[in-house]
Amino acid sequence: MSRYLNERFSTLVPYVPGEQPRNMEFIKLNTNESPFPPSPRAVRAAAEASKRMQLYPDPESRDLNAKLASLFGISPEEVISTDGSDELLNFAVMAYCSPKDPIAFANITYGFYKVTADLNCVPYEEIPLREGFRLDPDDYIGLNETIIIANPNAPTGIALSVSDIEKIVAENPNNIVVVDEAYVDFGAQTCLPLIHKYDNVLITRTFSKSRSMAGARLGWGMANKSIIKDLNTLRNSCNPYNINRMTAAAAIGAIEDEEYTQKCCRTIAETREKFAATLRKMKFEFGDSKANFIFVRHDKITGAELYSVLRERGFLIRHFDTPLLTDYNRITIGSETQMARLAEALAAILKERGEKF
Ligand SMILES: *Cc1c(COP(=O)(O)O)cnc(C)c1O
């Protein structure tokens, strides 16, 4: 730290992303990327758009927002596109929270929420999950705080029903409820219909997971027009050209190939169920994941040890070294072949430790 750094950032603990190895000697199952390439239409559209790179992109991302709006049957004025959904989460915190207006989220959830709260000097309340990492909507009644819920939750993969989330939205009419649907395409229900029923819901989504575009950086939000207007005020004040040309074009290509996305998601959900059955046989413990990852623990091996022996064998998974999560690892669902190889490695590791199955 230099002696010039603003004092309010002197204790800021930044988000720590999963490892991104420079060479691909690993089977990479640590950051919930898709094992599938993006749609060929996305790739072609990005290449074409790159020929006009000398020009700024559309600051309003009109073509992209119109395309997203038509895919979801809503108005373009109910859509905002952002540089990853992380940017959108940060805009929401800037827009709706302050040192006097705190934010609430689960004690086990996406680590970025805490970081963006700290960055904006917003106090946060961490609401403990119940038995089995279950979020109890009754813990969120009349909080008087902005609320963020990841649905399905990360890193647990456990999803809430729309009616559970609706209860939280209805019982907090004076605050925004952000529903982070980064993983919704892998088997949970979307809360999108709530944006026409309540004026305090913001849905956030991303192209990073189900649309195989983590490297392009694109997220989007859906909410009623006035919320989108607020968020655009922030966006135009922070980064008016936030979506680059290649990314916007790629996304439009991907949306025009929605069947491809749906097929990839179905395959991942099927692979997840198959892998879960294998894990169960090996006596791993885990909840019912509706995401593209499974959050696992095993009696015979600590979380940290499993992470490091798998690493030695060429597999990267995600271990969070915090007291609540240290027994666990989050394993991204990769291709059928990757998961079969991982299952073999897991079986060997457990047998070395005397587990029988
Ligand atoms: C991956 C992820 C995001 C953000 O992804 P972007 O790549 O910034 O779009 C948001 N929320 C959760 C819960 C995630 O896991």
Side-chain angles (χ1 to χ4, degrees):
M1 190 196 314
S2 84
R3 61 198 169 93
Y4 308 102
L5 182 68
N6 189 321
E7 196 175 283
R8 67 183 226 269
F9 299 133
S10 62
T11 56
L12 185 63
V13 182
Y15 180 71
V16 183
E19 285 167 87
Q20 300 295 353
R22 298 276 289 280
N23 45 13
M24 264 310 204
E25 70 214 51
F26 290 103
I27 291 188
K28 191 170 179 303
L29 304 171
N30 68 333
T31 51
N32 299 343
E33 290 142 323
S34 173
F36 305 116
S39 154
R41 289 179 78 150
V43 175
R44 273 199 305 274
E48 199 47 44
S50 71
K51 295 176 188 162
R52 291 180 304 283
M53 229 194 289
Q54 76 277 23
L55 302 174
Y56 279 111
D58 175 7
E60 302 298 331
S61 299
R62 281 166 296 190
D63 293 345
L64 172 57
N65 291 347
K67 207 81 192 174
L68 283 165
S70 86
L71 178 63
F72 292 100
I74 60 177
S75 147
E77 292 161 298
E78 296 170 322
V79 178
I80 181 173
S81 293
T82 53
D83 182 0
S85 55
D86 288 346
E87 185 182 55
L88 180 55
L89 294 167
N90 191 43
F91 290 160
V93 170
M94 288 169 83
Y96 301 113
C97 306
S98 79
K100 289 176 305 194
D101 301 295
I103 187 161
F105 40 78
N107 64 336
I108 297 173
T109 193
Y110 184 38
F112 184 76
Y113 304 154
K114 206 182 282 190
V115 177
T116 181
D118 282 339
L119 174 66
N120 294 292
C121 304
V122 169
Y124 53 83
E125 181 186 3
E126 293 183 276
I127 302 182
L129 294 178
R130 304 294 184 121
E131 185 76 32
F133 297 133
R134 199 176 57 84
L135 185 152
D136 187 342
D138 289 338
D139 296 336
Y140 289 73
I141 304 301
L143 285 185
N144 263 322
E145 295 166 341
T146 299
I147 295 169
I148 308 194
I149 296 172
N151 193 47
N153 198 9
T156 65
I158 294 170
L160 286 174
S161 67
V162 173
S163 57
D164 280 345
I165 291 182
E166 179 163 8
K167 183 171 175 183
I168 296 171
V169 171
E171 298 283 351
N172 290 278
N174 299 321
N175 290 98
I176 297 286
V177 178
V178 181
V179 186
D180 179 348
E181 295 191 339
Y183 300 104
V184 77
D185 295 319
F186 301 106
Q189 283 177 294
T190 179
C191 286
L192 183 58
L194 301 184
I195 73 166
H196 293 141
K197 212 167 155 189
Y198 300 90
D199 67 359
N200 62 326
V201 196
L202 167 64
I203 311 284
T204 69
R205 296 273 193 101
T206 176
F207 276 71
S208 297
K209 287 42 189 258
S210 56
R211 289 182 165 76
S212 302
M213 282 176 48
R217 312 301 307 127
L218 184 63
W220 81 96
M222 298 182 281
N224 76 49
K225 290 175 196 174
S226 29
I227 292 182
I228 296 300
K229 205 158 175 245
D230 299 339
L231 295 167
N232 271 317
T233 302
L234 271 300
R235 188 184 63 77
N236 283 315
S237 310
C238 293
N239 189 10
Y241 296 108
N242 65 331
I243 309 299
N244 74 69
R245 239 170 222 289
M246 286 71 74
T247 292
I252 291 170
I255 296 167
E256 287 169 351
D257 198 1
E258 177 65 11
E259 253 169 67
Y260 176 83
T261 296
Q262 295 307 324
K263 191 169 134 245
C264 291
C265 292
R266 270 198 309 276
T267 305
I268 288 169
E270 281 163 21
T271 307
R272 177 188 67 216
E273 296 312 308
K274 224 165 128 181
F275 183 62
T278 311
L279 289 175
R280 209 166 285 123
K281 274 189 214 140
M282 290 192 257
K283 300 179 188 165
F284 277 94
E285 288 168 36
F286 51 93
D288 181 23
S289 172
K290 296 286 183 224
N292 65 339
F293 53 80
I294 303 187
F295 194 52
V296 305
R297 70 174 294 283
H298 199 287
D299 276 342
K300 284 279 192 308
I301 188 164
T302 67
E305 196 187 354
L306 182 62
Y307 165 81
S308 67
V309 294
L310 277 177
R311 199 173 200 285
E312 283 160 20
R313 288 170 178 261
F315 297 89
L316 272 189
I317 58 172
R318 190 80 197 266
H319 182 247
F320 300 92
D321 197 11
T322 64
L324 285 173
L325 306 181
T326 189
D327 289 348
Y328 289 81
N329 278 286
R330 189 194 66 195
I331 303 176
T332 303
I333 303 301
S335 68
E336 192 81 41
T337 320
Q338 288 176 325
M339 301 326 277
R341 288 180 57 188
L342 177 63
E344 265 175 47
L346 289 172
I349 290 163
L350 291 175
K351 283 193 172 137
E352 280 168 13
R353 284 159 183 79
E355 184 63 281
K356 289 188 188 64
F357 45 88

